[in-house]
Amino acid sequence: MPSRGQRGEPSPVKPAHVAIIMDGNGRWARARGLPRAAGHRAGVEALRKTVRAAGELGVGWLTVYAFSSENWSRPKSEINDLMGLLKRFIRRDLAELHQNGVRVRIVGSRQDLTPDIAALLTEAESLTERNTNMNLVVAFNYGARDEILRAAREIAREARDGQIDPESVTAESFSARLDTAGIPDPDLIIRTSGEQRLSNFLLWQAAYAEFVFLPLHWPDFSREDLAAAIAVYEERDRRFGGVAAQEAVS
């Protein structure tokens, strides 16, 4: 069962933005005596099902941690498998996503990506940029510390050049320089495989997110698991640094 954490009055609305750390492909494969590549393939199928389920459950924004900036340290053969799966996912699923009104956005550094991968990411964004039914945000070559560092460097350069007053920088103006500019902060972050950490994912944006940690591996994640995590969220008392209404009047 999902970890419930602190409970209080039910949230009045479903989470508008759900983010998922899709963890456990390799362990799923190992438990079945399969190569890691088989786990990644099963993980892509779980992603397909999850995108559809999110739309059915009324989730307006879905962000998935597809490939971190630290993942480049993995064996070259595994990286090639992952890049191949990304290509196949976009080529196979982009038309369906577009037909269903899903807008695709990519967050993460585009620097040093191979031309074919960079072109696919641009194609996915360009084709779907006018869609409004749902937003799928793919964190690819993404690391939150790198994202924050790049934004800080941009502000430092502008301050050095006299373009801004450092005292005028606000949380909002800083957020506008992040890869996620224009994307609402996640309400709910789900991580599979039983690990309970963010792993350099949306560190700034997760300041007031609710967390649900699931013991199952990502390829086993289902529509029912997503619905259950949303139900847990709806039981949470989101205070944003304040106090619950019943405490305020007591």
Side-chain angles (χ1 to χ4, degrees), residues 192-235:
T192 57
S193 84
E195 305 293 348
Q196 299 187 22
R197 56 180 178 268
L198 277 175
S199 296
N200 203 18
F201 181 56
L202 300 179
L203 299 181
W204 174 276
Q205 300 86 344
Y208 289 103
E210 297 292 325
F211 294 86
V212 170
F213 300 106
L214 297 172
L216 55 87
H217 298 315
W218 173 246
D220 291 326
F221 188 81
S222 67
R223 184 187 191 281
E224 291 71 27
D225 294 310
L226 178 60
I230 290 174
V232 170
Y233 168 88
E234 291 176 319
E235 295 179 354

Side-chain angles (χ1 to χ4, degrees), residues 79-89 91 117:
I79 291 174
N80 290 338
D81 287 339
L82 289 168
M83 295 303 109
L85 286 171
L86 173 68
K87 293 176 185 179
R88 285 194 290 275
F89 177 79
R91 288 167 179 161
I117 294 295

Side-chain angles (χ1 to χ4, degrees), residues 150-167:
R150 284 187 278 112
R153 285 172 174 165
E154 180 181 343
I155 289 174
R157 284 192 295 268
E158 292 177 1
R160 178 198 62 194
D161 296 340
Q163 299 174 9
I164 60 170
D165 177 359
E167 296 301 319

Side-chain angles (χ1 to χ4, degrees), residues 1-2 14-22 46-64 134-136 187-192 210-236:
M1 290 295 293
K14 291 183 180 295
H17 184 176
V18 176
I20 303 179
I21 302 174
M22 307 179 294
L47 174 58
R48 292 189 179 101
K49 294 176 181 177
T50 300
V51 173
R52 297 185 191 113
E56 294 167 359
L57 293 169
V59 175
W61 292 83
L62 176 67
T63 295
V64 295
M134 179 184 165
N135 298 274
L136 173 62
D187 300 300
L188 169 63
I189 295 179
I190 302 168
R191 180 167 186 157
T192 57
E210 297 292 325
F211 294 86
V212 170
F213 300 106
L214 297 172
L216 55 87
H217 298 315
W218 173 246
D220 291 326
F221 188 81
S222 67
R223 184 187 191 281
E224 291 71 27
D225 294 310
L226 178 60
I230 290 174
V232 170
Y233 168 88
E234 291 176 319
E235 295 179 354
R236 299 280 177 86

Side-chain angles (χ1 to χ4, degrees), residues 87 91 113-121:
K87 293 176 185 179
R91 288 167 179 161
L113 292 181
T114 58
D116 58 335
I117 294 295
L120 279 175
L121 301 182

